[in-house]
Amino acid sequence: QVQLVESGGGLVQAGGSLRLTCAASGRTFSPGGMGWFRQAPGKERELVYAINWQEGSLSSADSVKGRFTISWDNAKNTVYLRMNSLKPEDTAVYYCALRQVGAAQYEYWGQGTQVTVSS
């Protein structure tokens, strides 16, 4: 099985930066994709940034383009999300997810890390 653990969330003022970390363990060989999602209270969960290795592509929400950057370290089985110029509307629980090669959806999810951006 795959286990994902997010870290790096916290309270930050608008305009500040945070780096989220997703550490994967278990059966992580050649995943189809990994991504960051977020969900704010009363809102639907949305894709923030994803790496689709199987398709050889990256995808991100329009609202974070130019501010957020995804990166990864294969040797450490770790994915990062650098968040710059944070806005109050970025406040949400951020989740890391993994999709195995051949899977139709993201079937493994972390517990989430809270990001709160104050004015």
Side-chain angles (χ1 to χ4, degrees), residues 37-81:
F37 295 77
R38 67 186 181 187
Q39 186 167 27
K43 304 287 290 185
E44 295 183 357
R45 184 169 59 195
E46 66 172 340
L47 171 71
V48 178
Y49 225 128
I51 309 167
N52 303 296
W53 287 293
Q54 190 171 9
E55 295 78 25
S57 65
L58 298 173
S59 58
S60 63
D62 289 340
S63 61
V64 307
K65 291 185 186 301
R67 299 189 298 121
F68 291 10
T69 303
I70 194 167
S71 61
W72 57 96
D73 186 334
N74 290 334
K76 297 180 179 179
N77 294 319
T78 301
V79 175
Y80 307 92
L81 183 68

Side-chain angles (χ1 to χ4, degrees), residues 4-7 36-37 93-96 109-115:
L4 305 174
V5 179
E6 304 98 331
S7 62
W36 288 96
F37 295 77
V93 177
Y94 284 70
Y95 297 91
C96 178
W109 296 81
Q111 83 288 348
T113 185
Q114 176 71 47
V115 172

Side-chain angles (χ1 to χ4, degrees), residues 30-33 52 54-55 98-108:
S30 188
N52 303 296
Q54 190 171 9
E55 295 78 25
L98 183 148
R99 175 176 60 83
Q100 296 280 34
V101 171
Q105 58 186 339
Y106 288 91
E107 65 266 58
Y108 298 99

